[in-house]
């Protein structure tokens, strides 16, 4: 599959280890992986046309509530990396899905499958 036809997963936030792990999961699943700049606008995100937007933490999702609201018009679901204890709060903050710690490839695949199923429905 060429890079032009691969759907994109956009990461909001920077964490070398977690970002690397998610990038490997995404690439192994046939997705392109992009990391946002520290300050990214909803217009820049829309231009990237991501299939999925991932926030690295619940704290980042909470700080970016204005951006989350601006992204509501996009067809890209918002995913956040969180713990089971933070899942309800993540939903309140606008996350469509949670990648729960500890992250595994199987859980990543399950989240992508749920996202694709909900897009078809």
């Amino acid at each position: 599959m060429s890079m032009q036809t691969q759907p994109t997963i956009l990461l909001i936030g920077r964490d070398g280890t977690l970002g690397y792990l998610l990038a490997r999961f995404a690439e192994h699943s046939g997705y392109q992986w992009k990391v946002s700049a520290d300050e990214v606008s909803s217009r820049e995100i829309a231009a990237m046309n991501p299939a999925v937007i991932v926030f690295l933490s619940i704290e980042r999702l909470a700080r970016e509530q204005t951006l989350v609201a601006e992204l509501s018009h996009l067809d890209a679901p918002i995913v956040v990396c969180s713990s089971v204890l933070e899942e309800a709060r993540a939903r309140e903050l606008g996350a469509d899905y949670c990648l729960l710690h500890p992250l595994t490839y199987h859980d990543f695949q399950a989240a992508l499958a749920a996202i694709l199923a909900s897009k078809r429905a």
Side-chain angles (χ1 to χ4, degrees):
M1 191 180 279
S2 73
M3 292 297 266
Q4 284 75 22
T5 61
Q6 287 180 304
T8 299
I9 296 177
L10 175 64
L11 180 67
I12 307 289
R14 294 192 187 270
D15 177 307
T17 305
L18 185 55
Y20 175 79
L21 177 66
L22 290 171
R24 298 288 296 161
F25 288 171
E27 290 165 1
H28 190 69
S29 301
Y31 285 80
Q32 228 184 133
W33 183 254
K34 291 187 180 179
V35 178
S36 75
D38 286 333
E39 296 295 323
V40 64
S41 72
S42 60
R43 180 177 288 156
E44 291 168 316
I45 292 172
M48 291 180 213
N49 193 28
V52 178
I53 301 167
V54 177
F55 284 81
L56 271 181
S57 69
I58 192 88
E59 293 80 14
R60 182 71 186 242
L61 183 66
R63 279 194 315 266
E64 299 286 352
Q65 284 299 284
T66 301
L67 179 62
V68 171
E70 292 171 357
L71 296 174
S72 65
H73 72 282
L74 294 180
D75 191 29
I78 294 176
V79 177
V80 65
C81 299
S82 67
S83 70
V84 172
L85 298 174
E86 299 171 319
E87 193 170 5
R89 181 160 183 250
R91 304 279 184 187
E92 291 171 2
L93 292 171
D96 298 302
Y97 299 93
C98 294
L99 290 173
L100 300 175
H101 295 292
L103 297 176
T104 66
Y105 181 69
H106 174 73
D107 293 336
F108 182 83
Q109 283 291 97
L112 289 179
I115 289 166
L116 291 175
S118 71
K119 281 188 170 186
R120 280 186 239 134

